[in-house]
Amino acid sequence: MIRIANAPVSYGVFELARPDLVALPDGEQLARWISEAGYQGIDLGPVGLLGQGAELDERLSRHGLDLAGGWVDLPFAGEDEEFAAALAGLDRTLDVFVTAAERGQDRAPLPTLADSGSPARKARPGGAPELTLRGAAWERFADRVNRAAARVRDRGLEPTFHHHACTHVETPEEIDALLASTDVDLTFDSGHLLIGGGDPLPDYRRWRERINHLHLKDARTALLHDALAADDPMRSVWEKRVFVPLGEGDLAVDALLDEIVASGYSGWLIVEQDVVPRSTADVERAVAEQAANREALRRWFA
C-alpha cells in the first residue's frame, strides 16, 4: 500500500527560508493545509515545528495525518569531533520519531539520513567527478552511515538515506557506491536525481530493491546552469524555482508513477516541491500548487 504525504519544504519552511521577507507558516497551519489538500501524512520539517511529545500526537490526530519521515543531516565527511557531536544529537531527533511510531500508525516514520555536504559541494550543484569521495575518505563516510543507521535501528525504527543536491551522495555513481558499501536503503528523490545527472525511470528500476522511501518532485534542469553562475549556487537552485509543480519540469511523471505502482512498492510517497517564498503571494501559491499536485496524483492514488 502506498500512502501519500507532503512536507514543510513545499511551503518554504527549511534552512534556506527567508523569514526576513515573509512570515512562514507554523506547524498548525502546515498540518491544516496538507490535510485539507487530501494528503495522508506529513514530513517532520525542523524538529519542534509540529510539536513534540503529546503536542505532536494531538496535532497529527486533529488533522488526520501520520508522520511520514523527516530529514536528519549529519556531517558524514566532517572531522571526527564534528561527526561525534552530531551523532550524539541524533538521539534527540529520534525521540520525536519514536513518539510518532508509538501512536500506532499503519506505517512508522522513516528517519531520513542525509549528508550535510561541504562548501565545495554547495558551490557545485549537480556534482563533479573531482568532488566525489574515493578510497579511504569514502570508506570512512560509508562506515559513519552504517553507524548512524544502527543507531536508528537501536530505537526500533528503520532508517533511509536521501541522496541530495550539494552533498557527497548526489550523482548516480555516488548513489551506487552508497548502496554497495552500506546496509541502509534509499530515499529515491526524482527531482534531486535529475539535478545529479540521473535518469529517474531506469534508475528507479535499477535500485528498486533498495528503495524504501519516495520523494516525488519535478525539476527544470535548464535552470541549473543559471544557478551555477550565481554567487551562491545552492541558494540560487531554490530561489530560481528549479523545483516546479508535477508535470511542469523534466520528469516523466506518468511513466515513473506507472512504474512505481507496477513494481509493487509499498510505503510512503512524499510530494515535495522545494520553494523559497519571498512574499505572502508566494506562500499562497505554494498552498495552491500542493493541492494541485495532490489532485494530479488521483489517477494513481485516490
Side-chain angles (χ1 to χ4, degrees), residues 187-240:
T187 293
F188 180 90
D189 188 302
S190 55
H192 283 282
L193 187 61
L194 285 169
I195 288 178
D199 190 337
L201 188 56
D203 286 342
Y204 176 84
R205 291 170 178 158
R206 183 157 60 96
W207 297 322
R208 168 63 194 97
E209 296 306 312
R210 294 289 300 277
I211 295 170
N212 66 346
H213 209 44
L214 293 174
H215 284 189
L216 182 67
K217 58 164 64 75
D218 206 344
R220 294 181 290 180
T221 55
L223 294 182
L224 181 62
H225 303 293
D226 296 335
L228 290 173
D231 291 337
D232 187 345
M234 180 178 174
R235 175 173 288 279
S236 184
V237 165
W238 275 262
E239 291 189 342
K240 287 182 177 295

Coordinates of all heavy atoms in Angstrom, one line a residue, residues 187-240:
T187 N 16.1 6.6 0.0 CA 15.0 7.5 -0.3 C 15.3 8.0 -1.8 O 16.3 8.7 -2.0 CB 15.0 8.8 0.6 OG1 14.7 8.4 1.9 CG2 14.0 9.8 0.1
F188 N 14.5 7.5 -2.7 CA 14.6 7.9 -4.1 C 13.9 9.2 -4.3 O 12.7 9.3 -4.1 CB 14.0 6.8 -4.9 CG 14.0 7.0 -6.4 CD1 15.1 6.5 -7.1 CD2 13.0 7.7 -7.1 CE1 15.2 6.7 -8.5 CE2 13.1 7.9 -8.4 CZ 14.1 7.4 -9.2
D189 N 14.7 10.2 -4.7 CA 14.1 11.6 -4.9 C 14.3 11.9 -6.4 O 15.4 12.1 -6.9 CB 14.9 12.6 -4.0 CG 14.2 14.0 -4.1 OD1 14.1 14.5 -5.2 OD2 13.8 14.5 -3.0
S190 N 13.2 11.9 -7.1 CA 13.2 12.1 -8.6 C 13.8 13.5 -9.0 O 14.5 13.6 -9.9 CB 11.8 12.0 -9.1 OG 10.9 12.8 -8.5
G191 N 13.5 14.5 -8.2 CA 14.0 15.8 -8.6 C 15.5 16.0 -8.3 O 16.2 16.5 -9.2
H192 N 15.9 15.5 -7.2 CA 17.4 15.6 -6.9 C 18.2 14.7 -7.8 O 19.3 15.0 -8.1 CB 17.6 15.3 -5.4 CG 17.3 16.4 -4.5 ND1 18.1 17.5 -4.4 CD2 16.2 16.7 -3.7 CE1 17.6 18.4 -3.5 NE2 16.4 17.9 -3.1
L193 N 17.6 13.6 -8.2 CA 18.2 12.7 -9.2 C 18.4 13.4 -10.5 O 19.5 13.3 -11.1 CB 17.5 11.4 -9.4 CG 18.1 10.3 -10.2 CD1 19.4 9.9 -9.6 CD2 17.2 9.2 -10.4
L194 N 17.4 14.2 -11.0 CA 17.6 14.9 -12.2 C 18.7 15.9 -12.1 O 19.5 16.1 -13.0 CB 16.3 15.7 -12.5 CG 15.1 14.8 -13.1 CD1 13.8 15.6 -13.1 CD2 15.4 14.3 -14.5
I195 N 18.8 16.6 -10.9 CA 19.9 17.6 -10.7 C 21.2 16.9 -10.7 O 22.2 17.4 -11.3 CB 19.7 18.4 -9.4 CG1 18.5 19.3 -9.6 CG2 20.9 19.2 -9.0 CD1 18.2 20.1 -8.3
G196 N 21.3 15.7 -10.2 CA 22.5 15.0 -10.1 C 22.9 14.2 -11.4 O 23.9 13.5 -11.4
G197 N 22.2 14.4 -12.4 CA 22.5 13.8 -13.7 C 21.9 12.4 -13.9 O 22.4 11.7 -14.9
G198 N 21.0 12.0 -13.1 CA 20.4 10.7 -13.3 C 19.2 10.7 -14.2 O 18.8 11.7 -14.7
D199 N 18.7 9.5 -14.4 CA 17.5 9.3 -15.3 C 16.5 8.5 -14.4 O 16.6 7.3 -14.2 CB 17.9 8.5 -16.5 CG 16.7 8.5 -17.6 OD1 15.6 8.7 -17.2 OD2 17.0 8.3 -18.8
P200 N 15.5 9.2 -13.9 CA 14.6 8.6 -12.9 C 14.0 7.3 -13.2 O 14.0 6.4 -12.4 CB 13.6 9.7 -12.6 CG 14.3 11.0 -12.9 CD 15.2 10.7 -14.1
L201 N 13.5 7.1 -14.4 CA 12.8 5.8 -14.7 C 13.8 4.6 -14.7 O 13.6 3.7 -13.9 CB 12.1 5.9 -16.0 CG 11.2 4.7 -16.4 CD1 10.2 4.5 -15.2 CD2 10.4 5.0 -17.7
P202 N 14.9 4.6 -15.5 CA 15.8 3.4 -15.4 C 16.5 3.3 -14.1 O 16.8 2.2 -13.6 CB 16.7 3.7 -16.6 CG 16.6 5.1 -16.9 CD 15.2 5.5 -16.6
D203 N 16.8 4.5 -13.5 CA 17.4 4.4 -12.2 C 16.5 3.8 -11.1 O 16.9 3.1 -10.2 CB 18.0 5.8 -11.8 CG 19.2 6.2 -12.5 OD1 19.8 5.3 -13.1 OD2 19.5 7.4 -12.6
Y204 N 15.2 4.2 -11.2 CA 14.3 3.6 -10.2 C 14.3 2.0 -10.4 O 14.3 1.3 -9.4 CB 12.9 4.1 -10.4 CG 11.8 3.4 -9.5 CD1 11.7 3.9 -8.2 CD2 11.1 2.3 -10.0 CE1 10.8 3.2 -7.4 CE2 10.2 1.7 -9.1 CZ 10.0 2.1 -7.9 OH 9.1 1.5 -7.0
R205 N 14.2 1.6 -11.6 CA 14.2 0.1 -11.9 C 15.5 -0.5 -11.4 O 15.5 -1.6 -10.8 CB 14.1 -0.1 -13.4 CG 12.7 0.3 -14.0 CD 12.7 0.2 -15.5 NE 11.4 0.5 -16.1 CZ 11.2 1.0 -17.3 NH1 12.3 1.1 -18.1 NH2 10.0 1.2 -17.7
R206 N 16.6 0.2 -11.5 CA 17.9 -0.4 -11.2 C 18.0 -0.5 -9.6 O 18.6 -1.5 -9.1 CB 19.0 0.5 -11.7 CG 20.4 0.0 -11.5 CD 21.3 0.7 -12.5 NE 21.4 2.1 -12.5 CZ 22.3 2.8 -11.8 NH1 23.2 2.2 -11.2 NH2 22.3 4.1 -11.9
W207 N 17.5 0.5 -8.9 CA 17.7 0.5 -7.5 C 16.4 0.0 -6.7 O 16.4 0.0 -5.5 CB 18.0 1.9 -7.0 CG 19.2 2.5 -7.5 CD1 20.4 1.8 -7.7 CD2 19.5 3.8 -7.9 NE1 21.4 2.6 -8.2 CE2 20.9 3.9 -8.3 CE3 18.7 5.0 -8.0 CZ2 21.4 5.1 -8.8 CZ3 19.3 6.1 -8.4 CH2 20.6 6.2 -8.8
R208 N 15.4 -0.5 -7.4 CA 14.1 -0.7 -6.8 C 14.2 -1.6 -5.5 O 13.5 -1.3 -4.5 CB 13.2 -1.4 -7.8 CG 11.9 -2.0 -7.2 CD 11.0 -0.9 -6.6 NE 10.0 -1.5 -5.8 CZ 10.0 -1.6 -4.4 NH1 11.1 -1.2 -3.8 NH2 9.1 -2.2 -3.8
E209 N 15.0 -2.6 -5.5 CA 15.1 -3.5 -4.3 C 15.7 -2.8 -3.1 O 15.5 -3.3 -2.0 CB 15.8 -4.8 -4.7 CG 15.2 -5.6 -5.7 CD 13.7 -6.0 -5.4 OE1 13.5 -6.4 -4.3 OE2 12.9 -5.8 -6.3
R210 N 16.3 -1.7 -3.3 CA 16.9 -1.0 -2.1 C 16.1 0.3 -1.8 O 16.6 1.1 -1.0 CB 18.4 -0.7 -2.4 CG 19.2 -1.9 -2.5 CD 19.4 -2.6 -1.1 NE 20.1 -1.7 -0.2 CZ 21.4 -1.5 -0.1 NH1 22.2 -2.1 -0.9 NH2 21.9 -0.7 0.9
I211 N 15.0 0.6 -2.5 CA 14.2 1.8 -2.2 C 13.2 1.5 -1.2 O 12.3 0.7 -1.4 CB 13.6 2.3 -3.6 CG1 14.7 2.8 -4.5 CG2 12.7 3.5 -3.3 CD1 14.2 3.0 -5.9
N212 N 13.2 2.3 -0.1 CA 12.2 2.1 0.9 C 11.4 3.4 1.3 O 10.6 3.4 2.2 CB 12.8 1.5 2.2 CG 13.8 2.4 2.9 OD1 14.2 3.4 2.4 ND2 14.1 2.1 4.2
H213 N 11.7 4.4 0.5 CA 11.0 5.7 0.7 C 11.1 6.5 -0.6 O 12.1 6.4 -1.3 CB 11.8 6.5 1.8 CG 11.0 7.4 2.6 ND1 9.8 7.1 3.2 CD2 11.3 8.7 3.1 CE1 9.4 8.1 3.9 NE2 10.3 9.1 3.9
L214 N 10.1 7.3 -0.9 CA 10.0 8.0 -2.1 C 9.7 9.5 -1.9 O 8.8 9.8 -1.1 CB 8.9 7.5 -3.0 CG 9.0 6.1 -3.6 CD1 7.8 5.7 -4.4 CD2 10.2 6.0 -4.5
H215 N 10.5 10.3 -2.5 CA 10.2 11.8 -2.6 C 9.9 12.1 -4.1 O 10.8 11.9 -4.9 CB 11.4 12.6 -2.1 CG 11.5 12.6 -0.6 ND1 12.4 13.5 0.0 CD2 10.9 11.9 0.3 CE1 12.3 13.3 1.3 NE2 11.4 12.4 1.5
L216 N 8.8 12.5 -4.4 CA 8.4 12.8 -5.8 C 8.4 14.3 -6.0 O 7.7 15.1 -5.3 CB 7.0 12.3 -6.0 CG 6.4 12.5 -7.5 CD1 7.2 11.6 -8.5 CD2 5.0 12.1 -7.6
K217 N 9.3 14.7 -6.9 CA 9.3 16.1 -7.2 C 9.8 16.3 -8.7 O 10.5 15.4 -9.2 CB 10.3 17.0 -6.3 CG 11.7 16.5 -6.3 CD 12.6 17.6 -5.6 CE 12.3 17.9 -4.2 NZ 12.8 16.9 -3.3
D218 N 9.3 17.3 -9.3 CA 9.7 17.6 -10.7 C 10.7 18.8 -10.7 O 10.7 19.6 -9.8 CB 8.4 18.1 -11.5 CG 8.5 17.8 -13.0 OD1 9.6 17.5 -13.4 OD2 7.5 17.8 -13.6
A219 N 11.5 18.8 -11.7 CA 12.6 19.9 -11.8 C 12.8 20.3 -13.2 O 12.7 19.5 -14.1 CB 13.9 19.3 -11.2
R220 N 13.2 21.6 -13.3 CA 13.6 22.1 -14.6 C 15.2 22.2 -14.6 O 15.7 23.1 -14.0 CB 13.0 23.5 -14.9 CG 11.5 23.4 -15.0 CD 10.9 24.8 -15.3 NE 11.0 25.6 -14.1 CZ 10.6 26.9 -14.0 NH1 10.0 27.5 -15.1 NH2 10.7 27.6 -12.9
T221 N 15.8 21.2 -15.3 CA 17.3 21.2 -15.1 C 18.0 22.3 -15.9 O 19.1 22.6 -15.6 CB 17.8 19.8 -15.7 OG1 17.3 19.6 -17.0 CG2 17.3 18.7 -14.8
A222 N 17.3 22.9 -16.9 CA 18.0 24.0 -17.6 C 18.3 25.2 -16.7 O 19.3 25.9 -16.9 CB 17.0 24.5 -18.7
L223 N 17.5 25.3 -15.6 CA 17.7 26.4 -14.7 C 19.0 26.2 -13.8 O 19.5 27.1 -13.2 CB 16.5 26.6 -13.8 CG 15.3 27.2 -14.5 CD1 14.2 27.4 -13.5 CD2 15.6 28.5 -15.2
L224 N 19.4 24.9 -13.8 CA 20.6 24.6 -13.0 C 21.8 25.3 -13.5 O 22.7 25.8 -12.8 CB 20.8 23.1 -13.0 CG 22.0 22.6 -12.2 CD1 21.9 22.9 -10.7 CD2 22.2 21.1 -12.4
H225 N 21.9 25.5 -14.8 CA 23.1 26.1 -15.4 C 23.1 27.6 -15.0 O 24.2 28.2 -14.8 CB 23.0 26.0 -17.0 CG 23.0 24.6 -17.4 ND1 24.0 23.7 -17.2 CD2 22.0 23.8 -18.0 CE1 23.7 22.5 -17.7 NE2 22.5 22.5 -18.2
D226 N 21.9 28.2 -15.0 CA 21.9 29.6 -14.5 C 22.3 29.7 -13.0 O 23.0 30.6 -12.6 CB 20.4 30.2 -14.6 CG 20.0 30.3 -16.1 OD1 20.9 30.4 -17.0 OD2 18.8 30.2 -16.3
A227 N 21.9 28.7 -12.2 CA 22.2 28.8 -10.8 C 23.7 28.6 -10.6 O 24.3 29.3 -9.7 CB 21.5 27.6 -10.1
L228 N 24.4 27.9 -11.4 CA 25.8 27.7 -11.2 C 26.6 28.9 -11.4 O 27.7 29.1 -11.0 CB 26.3 26.6 -12.2 CG 25.8 25.1 -11.9 CD1 26.2 24.2 -13.0 CD2 26.4 24.7 -10.5
A229 N 26.0 29.9 -12.2 CA 26.7 31.1 -12.4 C 26.5 32.2 -11.3 O 27.1 33.2 -11.3 CB 26.3 31.7 -13.7
A230 N 25.7 31.8 -10.3 CA 25.4 32.8 -9.2 C 26.5 32.8 -8.2 O 27.3 31.8 -8.1 CB 24.0 32.4 -8.6
D231 N 26.5 33.8 -7.3 CA 27.5 33.9 -6.3 C 27.2 32.8 -5.2 O 28.2 32.3 -4.6 CB 27.4 35.2 -5.6 CG 27.9 36.4 -6.5 OD1 28.7 36.1 -7.4 OD2 27.5 37.5 -6.2
D232 N 26.0 32.4 -5.0 CA 25.6 31.3 -4.1 C 24.8 30.3 -4.8 O 23.6 30.3 -4.8 CB 24.8 31.9 -2.9 CG 24.5 30.9 -1.8 OD1 24.7 29.7 -2.0 OD2 24.1 31.3 -0.7
P233 N 25.5 29.4 -5.5 CA 24.7 28.4 -6.4 C 23.7 27.6 -5.7 O 22.6 27.4 -6.2 CB 25.8 27.5 -7.0 CG 27.1 28.4 -6.9 CD 26.9 29.2 -5.6
M234 N 24.0 27.2 -4.5 CA 23.0 26.3 -3.8 C 21.7 27.1 -3.5 O 20.6 26.6 -3.8 CB 23.6 25.8 -2.5 CG 22.6 25.0 -1.7 SD 23.4 24.4 -0.2 CE 22.0 23.5 0.6
R235 N 21.8 28.3 -3.0 CA 20.6 29.1 -2.8 C 19.9 29.4 -4.1 O 18.7 29.4 -4.2 CB 20.9 30.4 -2.0 CG 19.7 31.3 -1.8 CD 20.0 32.5 -1.0 NE 20.2 32.1 0.4 CZ 19.1 31.9 1.2 NH1 17.9 32.0 0.8 NH2 19.3 31.5 2.5
S236 N 20.7 29.7 -5.1 CA 20.1 30.0 -6.4 C 19.2 28.9 -7.0 O 18.2 29.1 -7.6 CB 21.2 30.4 -7.4 OG 20.7 30.8 -8.6
V237 N 19.6 27.6 -6.8 CA 18.8 26.5 -7.3 C 17.4 26.6 -6.7 O 16.4 26.4 -7.5 CB 19.5 25.2 -6.8 CG1 18.5 24.0 -7.0 CG2 20.7 24.9 -7.6
W238 N 17.3 26.9 -5.5 CA 15.9 27.0 -4.9 C 15.2 28.3 -5.2 O 14.0 28.3 -5.5 CB 16.0 26.8 -3.4 CG 16.1 25.4 -3.0 CD1 15.0 24.6 -2.5 CD2 17.2 24.5 -3.0 NE1 15.4 23.3 -2.3 CE2 16.8 23.2 -2.5 CE3 18.6 24.7 -3.3 CZ2 17.6 22.1 -2.4 CZ3 19.4 23.6 -3.2 CH2 18.9 22.3 -2.8
E239 N 15.9 29.4 -5.2 CA 15.3 30.7 -5.5 C 14.8 30.9 -6.9 O 13.9 31.6 -7.2 CB 16.2 31.8 -5.0 CG 16.4 31.9 -3.5 CD 17.1 33.2 -3.1 OE1 17.8 33.8 -3.9 OE2 17.0 33.5 -1.9
K240 N 15.5 30.2 -7.8 CA 15.1 30.2 -9.2 C 14.0 29.3 -9.6 O 13.7 29.1 -10.7 CB 16.4 30.0 -10.1 CG 17.4 31.1 -10.2 CD 18.5 30.8 -11.1 CE 19.5 32.0 -11.2 NZ 18.9 33.2 -11.8

